Each structure stands twice: as C-alpha cells, then as structure tokens.
Amino acid sequence: MDKWDKRFMDMAGLVSSWTSCAREGRAIGAIIVKDKRILTTGYNGAPSGITTCREKGFCMRDKLGIASGTCAEKCYAVHAEQNAICQAAKLGVSVEGATLYCTHQPCTICTRLIINSGIARVVYRYPYPDEFSMQLFAEAGIKVEQFTDVE
C-alpha cells in the first residue's frame, strides 16, 4: 500500500458518511479511480426518487429481523459499489482497468458487477463474511487487497 491508496481509502471513508442507510454500522463508501483520478463515487442508500430509510425512520431489514449478509433483495439501499458503477454508466465513464476503493469487502452481488464492469483491482478496509465473493475475484483474476494503514 502507498500514500495514494491511503488518500483514496480516506476518500471512500468520507463518501461513506453520505449514506442514507438507517442500519447501525452500515455506512459504506466506494470510489473508482484510474490514473490517480477519481472517476466516480458511491455510497449505500435508496435509489433516486425513493424515500430513504433515514427519512422513513427505520431499517426494513431490522424491522423484519433479517441477518446481515442474507436476503439482499429485502433492502431499500443500493450498495456503494453498485452506485459508483451506475454513476459511471450514467455519465458514460469507462471503468475498464480502474481500481475500486471501498470501506468494506464487496458482497457477491457487487463482485459480479465489479467483474463485468472491467475494474482490475479492489482495495477494501473492513472484511465481510462472504468467501464466495473472494472466490469469484480470484477466478476472474482481479487483484483484491485489504487496506493496511501506511505512515
């Protein structure tokens, strides 16, 4: 890891603070970078035009007792990685060969999108209990690194 990785991980952390997720500990941020330039950002939150969980005053997953890492479809939020990739598509920005910096290890659903978008490297800070996503990354030949702070 180098000073640029630290800068971009710090930025992903800042972006995570924009979350509209009401679930405790679920502020996730992602940025896509190429040639030391930020292409797009993403945070977890409701799709455009949809009332957010914070605005609703509750997390549907908490209300239904859904455990973390299960039933991803039962959530108003779009994941940070998905939002960063969608923003690139909306703006017509290629992410081919880019690096995705994310506060948390991507889930399997996000991993599939990352693979198909052409992102070449993923750097995350916090692990997530999803071994299958790591298997997919390995099979696709995408470099995945857990961030460790540098001086």
Side-chain angles (χ1 to χ4, degrees), residues 4 8 11-12 15 18 30-42 80-81 83-101 117-121:
W4 285 102
F8 294 131
M11 285 288 296
V15 171
W18 305 340
I31 62 171
I32 300 175
V33 174
K34 189 169 184 181
D35 299 324
K36 298 181 183 171
R37 302 278 184 239
I38 296 171
L39 302 176
T40 62
T41 63
E81 306 93 323
N83 272 324
I85 292 168
C86 286
Q87 186 182 61
K90 188 174 184 178
L91 298 173
V93 175
S94 173
V95 297
E96 185 77 31
T99 296
L100 182 138
Y101 292 88
S117 71
I119 290 169
R121 178 178 176 236

Side-chain angles (χ1 to χ4, degrees), residues 24-109:
E24 183 68 32
R26 288 286 125 203
I28 315 290
I31 62 171
I32 300 175
V33 174
K34 189 169 184 181
D35 299 324
K36 298 181 183 171
R37 302 278 184 239
I38 296 171
L39 302 176
T40 62
T41 63
Y43 57 90
N44 58 327
S48 299
I50 304 297
T51 305
T52 71
C53 295
R54 284 191 178 174
E55 292 168 333
K56 289 176 172 115
F58 66 91
C59 170
M60 176 174 66
R61 294 177 60 81
D62 285 344
K63 196 172 190 179
L64 297 174
I66 298 171
S68 182
T70 65
C71 302
E73 72 281 2
K74 301 262 191 211
C75 181
Y76 288 105
V78 177
H79 289 188
E81 306 93 323
Q82 295 168 2
N83 272 324
I85 292 168
C86 286
Q87 186 182 61
K90 188 174 184 178
L91 298 173
V93 175
S94 173
V95 297
E96 185 77 31
T99 296
L100 182 138
Y101 292 88
C102 193
T103 55
H104 293 68
Q105 175 193 321
C107 72
T108 298
I109 295 167

Side-chain angles (χ1 to χ4, degrees), residues 102-147:
C102 193
T103 55
H104 293 68
Q105 175 193 321
C107 72
T108 298
I109 295 167
C110 290
T111 297
R112 291 179 188 134
L113 293 173
I114 290 165
I115 291 167
N116 278 357
S117 71
I119 290 169
R121 178 178 176 236
V122 174
V123 180
Y124 68 91
R125 183 180 298 268
Y126 303 111
Y128 183 70
D130 189 340
E131 280 302 312
F132 187 54
S133 69
M134 298 306 270
Q135 291 172 18
L136 291 172
F137 279 136
E139 188 172 339
I142 294 176
K143 187 174 185 178
V144 180
E145 302 170 65
Q146 184 171 8
F147 178 77

